Amino acid sequence: MQTAELSGLPEGVAEHLREEGIEELYPPQAEAVEAGVTEGESVVASVPTASGKTLIAELAMLASVERGGKALYIVPLRALASEKKREFERFESFGVSVGVSTGNYDSDEEWLSNRDIVVATSEKVDSLVRNGASWIEDLSCVVADEIHLVDDANRGPTLEVTLAKLRQLNPALQTVALSATVGNAGEIAEWLDAELVHSEWRPIDLRTGVHYGSALHFDDGSQEEFVVESGENPTTALVSNALSDGGSSLVFVNSRRNAEAAARRLGGAVEDQLTDEERARLAELAEEVRGVSDSETSDDLADAIENGAAFHHAGLAREHRTLVEDAFRNRLIKAISATPTLAAGVNTPSRRVIVRDWQRYDGDAGGMKPLATLEVHQMMGRAGRPGLDPYGEALLLAKNHDELDELFERYVWADPEPVRSKLATEPALRTHILATIASGFANTHEGLLEFLERTLYATQSTDPGRLESVTDRMLDYLERNGFLELDSGNIEATGIGHTVSRLYLDPMSAAEMIDGLRGSEQASALGLYHLVARTPDMWELYLRSGDREKYTEIAYERETEFLGDMPTEFESERFEDWLSALKTASLLEDWASEVDEDRITERYSIGPGDLRGKVETAEWLLNAAERLAVELDLGPDVVASISAARQRVEHGVGEELLGLTGVGNVGRKRARWLFEAGIETREDLRTAEKSVVLGALRGREKTTETILRNAGHPNPSIEGVEADESAAVEVEPDRGDGQAGLGDF
Ligand code: ADP
C-alpha cells in the first residue's frame, strides 16, 4: 500500500511522509490500516523491533485528531517521552499540537487540554486520572507503546489498570497497543477488544547466531570462520571486525561495572580506526560530557568517548545518555557497551549486536539467572539500520560446546515467553484499589471486582479466586490504616485516603510516614530523610561490606533523631532494611550539606544519575509528607521542618542558603560563595556593592549580571565594576551543618 492511498489524515501528512522516504507502507503497517487503524478501530500490533510500529501509532493518532478527537501516547520510560514528543512535533505544521506531560505527580496539567497529542508515562497518566484531569474524558485514541511490559512486576500493573480505567471512562476509545513479537499477543488483543496484527516481518534481514571456537554459527545452520587470536577478547574482536566493514556495535553486559570496563576495552579496539576529524569531534563531545556532572562516572565516560566508545547505564545522568545516543546514531561513537536499560525502547540501531552476558545477578534468586528470551530478542532486534546496513547481525558468545547448544535452544531458536499479568500481588493491588475507589471507578465490593474484570489479569486468569482473595486482604489493610471506610457493602475513600491517592503514594509509604510523623513534635532533616527513605517508594541502597557496622554506629549516635521505633538488632531483617534506609538518609544529608557530587558518588558507590534519582524521589516524598502533615493537623513546627528539609534536598544546600537558591542561576556552589561574602538573601543581592558580588562570584562578569538581573536588581550592569578580591572567600570542602563528618568514611 502506498502512503498516497491513505485517507482520513490531516491535509499534507501523506505528502510529508513521502518526503521523509516513507512511500510505501511496510507490510505490518498496511495490515494495520486494513484492520481499520485509521478509522478508529482498536489494534494490537505485535511486530519485531524497528519494523515501523511508531508509524502505525502515528496514523491512528493523526486520523483520530483529524476527526476532531484527541490522542494520548503512553511511553514506558520517562526518557522516551521527550524523544517521542520531538518525533511527533514534525506534524505541528499540519495543525496538530503536541504536549508532553512532565509535571508533578499531584498536578492535573490542565494546559494539556488544548493539545491534540499528549505524550506521558503510564505512571503520569495514572496520576492524571487520580487528580481528575478533565481532558482525559476527551480522549478518542490511546496508544500503549511496548505493551508487553505489562509483564513487569513493578510497573506492569499500572499500565494495565490505567488502560482499564481509560476504557471505562470512555467506552468508544480506540486503543492501539504496540508490542514486541510475543506468542500470546492474541490474549492482549482479546483483553483490549482489538484486532491483532501479528508479523515477523523486518525491513532488514537479521541474522542471529552464536560465536564459538573459531566460527560464527548462524540460525540458518550456516557457519562463518571467525578466528579469535589467543589472548584476544572475542567481544573486542567482533566489534573491531564490524567496524573495519563500516558498522557500529552494541554490546550488552550484565552490570554497570562491566559496561564501564568493556567501554574502556572497546575504545582500545576502535581507536585506531578513527579519522583525525572524528578524533577532534569526539574530543569536543568528551568535553561536553565532562561538563554534565562533576563525577568519576562522567570522567570515565568522557575518556571512553575520546576513543570512540561509550557505556550506557541507569547510573548516567539523563544528559549523558542523550549525548551518547545521539552520537551513536550519528555514527560518531562506534561502539556502546550497555546494561539492558538500552534495549528498552531507545532508538539506537547498530550493525552488530553482541549479547555478551546472558546471565544476570538476581537478588531474589541469590545467584545468576538467565535473561528472559523476550529480553534477549529485544536486544538482538537492535541490529541492522535500514538504509545504512546491508543486514543486521546479533550474536551471543559461547565458551564451550554445551553452552553453544544451550544458547541456541534458549535464545536463537526459542519463542519468547508469554506475557503474563502481574496484577494479583499485594503491592500492586494495595495501590490500585485505593486509587480505583478514590477516583470513583467503584464504590462497592462487587463494583470493584467488576472493574478488575476489565484487566488483562481477568482475561488470563484460570484462578479468579486469587484476585479476589488478595483484593480482600488489601481492602482490609486499607481500612485498618484509615484510607478506606467499609460500610455494609459500600466502600469509600476517607479524606486522607483521597490525599494519598492524589499524591501518588503507595499506601504503605503513606502509613509509614503518618506513623513516624504523628509521634513527633519536631523533626531533624536526617530523621525526615530516614523516614522517607524507608518507604517502599524509595529504592534501597545495598549495604556493602563494612556498612553494617558503620551505620549501626551512626544509628546509636543519632538515635534521638529518628521518627518512629527503631527495630532492635535481633530483628535482623527489619534492622538491615532500617540501616539501608539510613545509608540513603546519610546520602541525602550529605547532599543537603553541600558535599560535592563527586565525593557523594564515590562515598556511596553510585552514579550521578542515581544521586539525581534519589534526590528527585526524596523531594516528591517530602512534599507528600508535608501535605499529609497539614491534612492531619500535626502543627506548624512539623510542617516547617519538613518544608525546610525538602528545600534543602531540592537545592542541595544548608538551610541558611535557602534565601539565595531561589534566585535563578544561583546553584549550590555560588550560593555558598555569596553567603561567605556576607550576601545572604535576594534582597542582599540587590543592595550589596556590586564589586563584592562580582568578587564572590570569582570575577565572572556575565554570571554576575545574570544573577543580579534575576534577583531584580534595578541596574544589573557591571560595566566599570572592579571585583573585590577579598569577597572570594575560600570554602572548606564538605562544610555543612555540623554533621558533615557523618558520611566521611
Ligand atoms: P519500532 O517502533 O517498530 O521499533 P520504528 O517505528 O522506530 O520501529 O521504525 C524504525 C525506522 O523505520 C524509523 O526510522 C522509521 O522512520 C522507518 N520507517 C517506518 N516505516 C517506514 C516505511 N513504511 N518506509 C520506510 N521507512 C519506514
Side-chain angles (χ1 to χ4, degrees):
M1 183 187 268
Q2 303 287 314
T3 25
E5 295 168 54
L6 289 166
S7 59
L9 301 176
E11 174 103 22
V13 166
E15 180 61 34
H16 177 81
L17 291 173
R18 264 202 312 284
E19 279 164 21
E20 278 181 358
I22 304 182
E23 286 201 16
E24 178 151 17
L25 293 186
Y26 287 159
Q29 295 166 342
E31 260 184 71
V33 171
E34 274 151 32
V37 83
T38 53
E39 289 155 16
E41 290 297 326
S42 291
V43 167
V44 170
S46 168
V47 180
T49 313
S51 305
K53 287 194 283 291
T54 310
L55 186 66
I56 297 178
E58 287 170 346
L59 294 177
M61 295 193 296
L62 291 169
S64 194
V65 169
E66 180 65 9
R67 289 193 299 274
K70 183 183 179 79
L72 172 67
Y73 190 100
I74 305 179
V75 286
L77 293 172
R78 225 175 359 152
L80 282 174
S82 25
E83 188 182 314
K84 287 294 173 195
K85 174 179 168 262
R86 254 179 280 136
E87 253 180 278
F88 301 154
E89 268 169 356
R90 68 194 203 280
F91 299 117
E92 289 202 323
S93 45
F94 308 103
V96 178
S97 55
V98 184
V100 58
S101 165
T102 52
N104 291 335
Y105 276 140
D106 56 351
S107 63
D108 58 12
E109 300 210 62
E110 276 309 315
W111 68 277
L112 290 169
S113 62
N114 59 17
R115 292 296 187 279
D116 297 317
I117 297 179
V118 176
V119 184
T121 60
S122 45
E123 285 75 15
K124 198 62 233 267
V125 180
D126 184 12
S127 82
L128 287 165
V129 173
R130 295 180 188 202
N131 285 284
S134 61
W135 52 268
I136 291 281
E137 288 181 28
D138 303 335
L139 291 175
S140 54
C141 173
V142 59
V143 177
D145 195 359
E146 313 252 6
I147 187 91
H148 52 270
L149 293 174
V150 291
D151 192 87
D152 183 279
N154 293 318
R155 304 190 46 211
T158 300
L159 177 58
E160 189 177 341
V161 170
T162 300
L163 283 176
K165 283 183 180 167
L166 294 179
R167 297 179 70 227
Q168 172 160 333
L169 276 176
N170 185 349
L173 186 68
Q174 174 187 20
T175 311
V176 176
L178 311 178
S179 169
T181 41
V182 292
N184 67 335
E187 265 175 15
I188 299 176
E190 188 189 330
W191 164 43
L192 297 172
D193 302 308
E195 290 286 321
L196 174 65
V197 172
H198 181 87
S199 170
E200 301 284 347
W201 182 89
R202 284 181 50 102
I204 178 164
D205 276 345
L206 176 65
R207 303 176 80 196
T208 57
V210 180
H211 174 257
Y212 167 61
S214 53
L216 302 174
H217 302 249
F218 287 104
D219 49 342
D220 58 6
S222 67
Q223 289 187 19
E224 231 169 64
E225 187 177 40
F226 189 87
V227 181
V228 178
E229 305 294 335
S230 75
E232 199 183 9
N233 177 303
T235 308
T236 32
L238 285 165
V239 169
S240 168
N241 166 266
L243 189 57
S244 62
D245 194 27
S248 55
S249 296
L250 262 179
V251 179
F252 286 102
V253 300
N254 60 8
S255 73
R256 295 177 182 190
R257 196 173 292 225
N258 283 339
E260 292 174 11
R264 262 193 301 277
R265 265 199 309 276
L266 293 178
V270 165
E271 202 261 335
D272 54 358
Q273 298 193 49
L274 297 172
T275 65
D276 287 343
E277 195 230 328
E278 284 173 334
R279 266 182 243 274
R281 284 168 60 205
L282 286 163
E284 265 172 46
L285 179 63
E287 261 330 286
E288 216 176 321
V289 163
R290 276 184 228 279
V292 168
S293 109
D294 196 8
S295 64
E296 208 179 307
T297 313
S298 203
D299 285 342
D300 290 349
L301 181 61
D303 290 346
I305 286 177
E306 278 176 355
N307 291 334
F311 54 88
H312 189 291
H313 60 56
L316 290 179
R318 226 166 286 153
E319 301 92 302
H320 281 143
R321 278 184 259 170
T322 312
L323 287 171
V324 168
E325 288 157 17
D326 288 347
F328 189 69
R329 272 195 290 270
N330 297 334
R331 312 175 77 175
L332 184 58
I333 289 179
K334 311 295 180 187
I336 297 184
S337 51
T339 54
T341 44
L342 189 65
V346 186
N347 188 15
T348 49
S350 78
R351 165 85 59 87
R352 192 170 258 174
V353 165
I354 300 162
V355 184
R356 196 198 74 180
D357 300 336
W358 56 277
Q359 303 195 70
R360 172 172 48 203
Y361 182 78
D362 180 332
D364 294 335
M368 301 301 276
K369 220 179 126 186
L371 298 180
T373 307
L374 178 59
E375 203 173 346
V376 170
H377 284 189
Q378 292 273 92
M379 295 173 184
M380 292 178 140
R382 300 267 150 218
R385 299 165 303 172
L388 288 177
D389 294 325
Y391 55 84
E393 214 177 54
L395 298 165
L396 291 137
L397 309 176
K399 283 187 283 301
N400 53 51
H401 206 277
D402 285 348
E403 199 175 341
L404 174 68
D405 290 344
E406 177 167 8
L407 291 177
F408 261 88
E409 264 165 44
R410 204 181 260 286
Y411 300 116
V412 180
W413 285 327
D415 291 325
E417 303 75 6
V419 168
R420 310 283 321 168
S421 162
K422 298 295 189 299
L423 185 62
T425 62
E426 293 198 355
L429 281 178
R430 144 178 108 214
T431 298
H432 289 297
I433 286 175
L434 177 60
T436 298
I437 290 166
S439 334
F441 287 89
N443 55 14
T444 60
H445 188 256
E446 238 167 54
L448 182 60
L449 291 176
E450 238 170 68
F451 171 77
L452 292 171
E453 274 297 309
R454 297 173 161 274
T455 60
L456 174 64
Y457 186 88
T459 307
Q460 294 189 318
S461 175
T462 46
D463 176 14
R466 181 174 151 74
L467 189 66
E468 194 171 343
S469 73
V470 185
T471 298
D472 287 345
R473 269 207 310 283
M474 291 304 99
L475 281 172
D476 184 49
Y477 171 88
L478 292 166
E479 188 187 22
R480 260 187 294 123
N481 282 282
F483 300 137
L484 290 180
E485 267 169 13
L486 277 63
D487 182 17
S488 59
N490 267 338
I491 314 176
E492 250 182 69
T494 60
I496 200 81
H498 276 285
T499 305
V500 170
S501 165
R502 280 200 301 269
L503 290 172
Y504 209 69
L505 289 174
D506 180 333
M508 194 180 251
S509 298
E512 181 84 35
M513 295 204 275
I514 292 170
D515 218 39
L517 291 172
R518 263 206 177 115
S520 65
E521 270 152 35
Q522 236 182 352
S524 76
L526 181 78
L528 289 163
Y529 297 152
H530 187 261
L531 182 65
V532 298
R534 62 183 198 243
T535 67
D537 277 311
M538 177 81 83
W539 44 272
E540 277 187 12
L541 280 182
Y542 291 110
L543 293 180
R544 292 170 195 266
S545 74
D547 279 353
R548 202 171 198 285
E549 295 69 33
K550 211 166 352 193
Y551 291 102
T552 305
E553 204 172 299
I554 296 172
Y556 288 121
E557 259 169 40
R558 302 184 65 179
E559 200 172 349
T560 54
E561 293 186 50
F562 302 111
L563 306 172
D565 294 331
M566 177 166 143
T568 68
E569 285 184 60
F570 302 107
E571 301 164 85
S572 69
E573 207 171 306
R574 266 191 72 207
F575 190 66
E576 196 95 356
D577 283 347
W578 203 90
L579 287 183
S580 84
L582 180 53
K583 185 172 176 182
T584 302
S586 303
L587 174 152
L588 293 169
E589 191 184 51
D590 278 357
W591 171 249
S593 307
E594 300 162 46
V595 178
D596 282 342
E597 187 181 5
D598 58 343
R599 296 200 64 171
I600 297 182
T601 48
E602 199 188 304
R603 214 173 253 177
Y604 298 92
S605 316
I606 56 171
D610 301 308
L611 173 58
R612 289 173 200 199
K614 285 271 184 214
V615 165
E616 270 173 34
T617 309
E619 259 181 78
W620 160 53
L621 290 172
L622 287 163
N623 173 57
E626 192 177 331
R627 300 266 295 265
L628 291 172
V630 170
E631 178 133 353
L632 295 167
D633 235 344
L634 299 183
D637 290 349
V638 174
V639 174
S641 47
I642 305 174
S643 174
R646 177 181 55 71
Q647 292 179 60
R648 286 186 55 196
V649 161
E650 183 184 341
H651 300 289
V653 296
E655 198 164 344
E656 69 277 19
L657 298 192
L658 291 176
L660 285 167
T661 43
V663 179
N665 290 64
V666 180
R668 59 203 299 249
K669 267 208 179 118
R670 290 175 186 159
R672 175 55 59 193
W673 287 346
L674 290 166
F675 188 88
E676 298 298 322
I679 299 163
E680 303 185 3
T681 61
R682 185 186 285 263
E683 178 61 24
D684 290 353
L685 271 169
R686 287 197 288 255
T687 53
E689 287 295 333
K690 287 189 210 167
S691 56
V692 175
V693 180
L694 182 61
L697 293 171
R698 304 326 193 230
R700 298 203 191 123
E701 302 185 350
K702 252 184 136 166
T703 311
T704 305
E705 280 192 355
T706 311
I707 288 176
L708 289 175
R709 191 172 310 117
N710 292 341
H713 199 290
N715 174 21
S717 165
I718 54 153
E719 228 181 276
V721 175
E722 277 289 313
D724 176 350
E725 303 285 339
S726 70
V729 183
E730 263 314 301
V731 182
E732 274 173 59
D734 268 22
R735 59 131 325 278
D737 56 2
Q739 313 288 355
L742 163 67
D744 218 352
F745 11 76

